[in-house]
Amino acid sequence: MKNLKTVLVLVIVSLVFQYTSAQKQPNVILLFSDDAGYADFGFQGSEVMITPNLDKLASEGVQFTQGYVSASVCGPSRAGLLTGRYQQRFGFEENNVPQYMSKMSGLDGPNMGIPLTETTMGDYMKSIGYQTAFYGKWHLGGADKFHPMKRGFDEFYGFRGGARDYWAYTKPPQEELNKLEKNFGNFKEHDGYLTDKLADEAIDFMTRNKKKPFFIVLSFNAVHTPMHATKEDLAKFPELTGKRQEVAAMTLGLDRACGNVLDKLKELGLEDNTLVVFSNDNGGPTDKNASINLPLSGTKSNHLEGGIRVPFLMKWPGKIQENTTYNYPISTLDLLPTFYAAGGGKTKDLKNVDGVNIVPFVQGLNTERPHKELFWKLGARAAVRDGDWKLIRYSDRPAELFNIEDDPSEKKNLAVYYPDRVKQLFKKLYHWELTLERPAWLLQKKFEKVDIDRMDRYRN
């Protein structure tokens, strides 16, 4: 009997140790918006948008003034985010939408995704003991083999495609990949407004897993087209009209959904042990949803700052100082190693990632730049940032050179004044391109003659 009691005590001690050890791992939540404008949040200076919850998040953590994505369009940007690697390294250079296909393999929309040889953020977090979930827009391959639950996520609620209605479909959508799905193969439309519903699903997951470390990617389709907002949210902006009123209302809905998640964290007593990031997938389209990217030039689909620089917030109580800013360039490529390291993983175990763990930089333990160079590429167009210098290569006109520190709005092209620097940056760009795979898919034949700088209207 004495031995039995001893065994029971040891089992209980072991269980308690496992529980407390697990709780030392922070929960991790990525709040990710779609097509939001750089200036369309209160914490970014907007006096029109109503975003109290995200403004509060900004005041409770660090705001990155030079947060970048790895692509200026949805699919490639998300592929870089989920792998921590430049997506061109595995051929995911263009959007995976029906207008694109591979001449070599005949790939169609559903079969264009992150190659199965790549390890995702979900895979890595799951490997160190996290319960993982993905909610919302996937857009990383519609075929079953690319499904989130086969790419490292325990649960899924959302749609496999790139854009869908915010209200429930009364008949099957034109694009089958935009049907709403719960976990694997359970297709059923929702009740209410999708932005709110996605947050509700994330809250349910948090509640069910509050005693375990969890990792959530809450990938809103807000504020991507179609322009759908609730009547109540529209009524909050009587001074606005048209798309501008609609995007303001949709942003309010996005903020409310984020706030509901953050409030639930506090209610569950998890706030102090949770790392939260908010960001966006690419620059806002100034035409389709009337986003505003000022003071940056450019828009979604191009390599000016307005196409690749995004709002970027991080909160981690006790680890990151409140109400601060970080001014060196960072990238969404950095989130995978940052989350993995926060969860106790060793970044040296990550496979060929291009991102870095940015926490030591934010904490001031490392005073160097996280990235000396950053690269972007979409077809013949490309850009490189080296320190504060940025070169943009076009398909139909001479390259442009800017000093981003002095000229973040990219108003003054300095290429003619610094020809040696232009040459140097071209060499860096070419050297990087030699490390990439060929694009796995391109525009279909009927679009091939369209100038690459005018393709934006074909992209989601």
Side-chain angles (χ1 to χ4, degrees):
M1 180 64 71
K2 185 176 180 181
N3 287 339
L4 179 60
K5 287 182 179 179
T6 301
V7 170
L8 288 173
V9 168
L10 290 174
V11 168
I12 292 170
V13 170
S14 176
L15 290 173
V16 169
F17 175 77
Q18 290 178 31
Y19 173 77
T20 54
S21 176
Q23 286 308 293
K24 291 179 182 178
Q25 290 179 284
N27 305 304
V28 179
I29 299 177
L30 172 58
L31 305 170
F32 206 54
S33 59
D34 190 355
D35 276 9
Y38 185 77
D40 282 342
F41 298 92
F43 65 86
Q44 293 287 91
S46 176
E47 297 181 357
V48 174
M49 298 296 183
I50 302 174
T51 55
N53 295 295
L54 291 172
D55 297 347
K56 184 171 183 284
L57 180 64
S59 70
E60 293 173 339
V62 59
Q63 181 173 355
F64 297 91
T65 60
Q66 296 192 69
Y68 288 97
V69 288
S70 62
S72 60
V73 291
C74 305
S77 174
R78 292 161 188 272
L81 166 75
L82 260 288
T83 60
R85 305 182 67 211
Y86 284 112
Q87 59 281 357
Q88 297 93 343
R89 295 199 188 282
F90 45 87
F92 203 133
E93 184 167 319
E94 262 290 4
N95 250 341
N96 51 337
V97 292
Q99 301 95 297
Y100 296 79
M101 69 180 297
S102 169
K103 297 178 187 176
M104 299 292 291
S105 60
L107 290 176
D108 57 10
N111 285 295
M112 296 187 291
I114 295 177
L116 302 185
T117 52
E118 295 298 317
T119 307
T120 72
M121 189 181 281
D123 292 323
Y124 280 118
M125 297 303 283
K126 193 172 175 63
S127 74
I128 55 174
Y130 278 78
Q131 297 295 117
T132 59
F134 192 102
Y135 299 107
K137 173 177 173 175
W138 179 241
H139 205 205
L140 294 171
D144 288 350
K145 63 183 177 180
F146 297 123
H147 191 278
M149 293 180 68
K150 296 188 178 183
R151 307 310 302 268
F153 293 96
D154 296 313
E155 296 187 17
F156 172 64
Y157 183 84
F159 57 102
R160 304 186 193 187
R164 63 153 285 147
D165 286 5
Y166 291 76
W167 307 109
Y169 289 117
T170 57
K171 59 182 180 179
Q174 182 177 2
E175 175 53 63
E176 189 173 345
L177 295 182
N178 291 328
K179 294 190 299 184
L180 202 62
E181 181 179 19
K182 188 174 181 67
N183 291 325
F184 186 82
N186 301 313
F187 296 98
K188 183 181 178 181
E189 288 299 302
H190 61 296
D191 295 322
Y193 189 61
L194 185 57
T195 302
D196 293 322
K197 179 64 176 175
L198 295 176
D200 291 344
E201 291 290 326
I203 287 170
D204 178 64
F205 180 80
M206 290 159 48
T207 304
R208 287 185 284 111
N209 291 280
K210 62 184 178 181
K211 294 184 178 180
K212 308 170 187 175
F214 58 74
F215 170 58
I216 296 172
V217 178
L218 183 44
S219 175
F220 294 103
N221 53 321
V223 293
H224 195 293
T225 55
M227 304 303 288
H228 293 167
T230 68
K231 292 180 180 178
E232 295 79 8
D233 290 342
L234 286 167
K236 298 287 179 63
F237 302 93
E239 74 282 7
L240 301 177
T241 59
K243 291 181 182 179
R244 193 61 186 156
Q245 183 187 41
E246 291 168 333
V247 76
M250 293 166 75
T251 302
L252 176 59
L254 168 70
D255 182 81
R256 176 178 61 248
C258 292
N260 289 342
V261 171
L262 297 173
D263 288 345
K264 191 64 177 182
L265 266 182
K266 188 172 184 179
E267 180 186 323
L268 294 172
L270 302 175
E271 181 181 23
D272 290 342
N273 192 42
T274 302
L275 168 60
V276 179
V277 169
F278 171 80
S279 194
N280 185 59
D281 65 345
N282 47 247
T286 55
D287 54 352
K288 291 182 178 179
N289 70 2
S291 295
I292 293 178
N293 298 319
L294 296 175
L296 307 179
S297 296
T299 182
K300 175 181 179 176
S301 300
N302 66 43
H303 292 140
L304 291 165
E305 293 290 285
I308 56 176
R309 194 191 292 199
V310 294
F312 210 126
L313 306 173
M314 179 182 288
K315 174 188 175 183
W316 193 5
K319 300 288 186 179
I320 294 175
Q321 189 175 346
E322 294 185 4
N323 200 26
T324 56
T325 58
Y326 186 80
N327 298 318
Y328 281 145
I330 55 102
S331 169
T332 47
L333 297 173
D334 300 327
L335 291 180
L336 188 155
T338 298
F339 294 161
Y340 188 70
K346 297 179 180 179
T347 54
K348 67 179 180 62
D349 295 334
L350 300 175
K351 300 176 184 176
N352 303 316
V353 298
D354 293 298
V356 299
N357 174 17
I358 53 177
V359 171
F361 296 91
V362 174
Q363 293 174 330
L365 301 176
N366 190 330
T367 58
E368 298 182 356
R369 290 174 178 255
H371 300 277
K372 185 177 185 298
E373 301 164 345
L374 288 170
F375 299 92
W376 298 268
K377 184 178 184 297
L378 188 62
R381 294 179 295 169
V384 53
R385 177 161 175 175
D386 180 17
D388 291 328
W389 291 95
K390 178 181 171 187
L391 177 83
I392 305 179
R393 184 183 73 196
Y394 296 96
S395 64
D396 60 349
R397 58 188 182 275
E400 295 178 337
L401 177 71
F402 302 100
N403 186 296
I404 301 301
E405 178 66 23
D406 297 337
D407 180 24
S409 300
E410 294 170 301
K411 293 180 178 179
K412 189 172 183 179
N413 177 13
L414 301 174
V416 68
Y417 302 106
Y418 298 93
D420 290 341
R421 189 173 294 276
V422 170
K423 184 178 179 180
Q424 175 194 27
L425 293 180
F426 260 116
K427 286 184 177 180
K428 287 180 179 288
L429 186 55
Y430 292 147
H431 179 75
W432 175 71
E433 288 179 310
L434 289 173
T435 70
L436 309 178
E437 293 288 338
R438 290 182 179 275
W441 48 84
L442 300 167
L443 273 175
Q444 290 189 47
K445 190 173 183 61
K446 63 180 178 178
F447 295 129
E448 284 175 359
K449 294 182 180 179
V450 179
D451 185 278
I452 198 164
D453 289 322
R454 298 181 177 87
M455 285 182 186
D456 298 349
R457 62 194 178 98
Y458 298 120
R459 297 194 176 94
N460 281 330

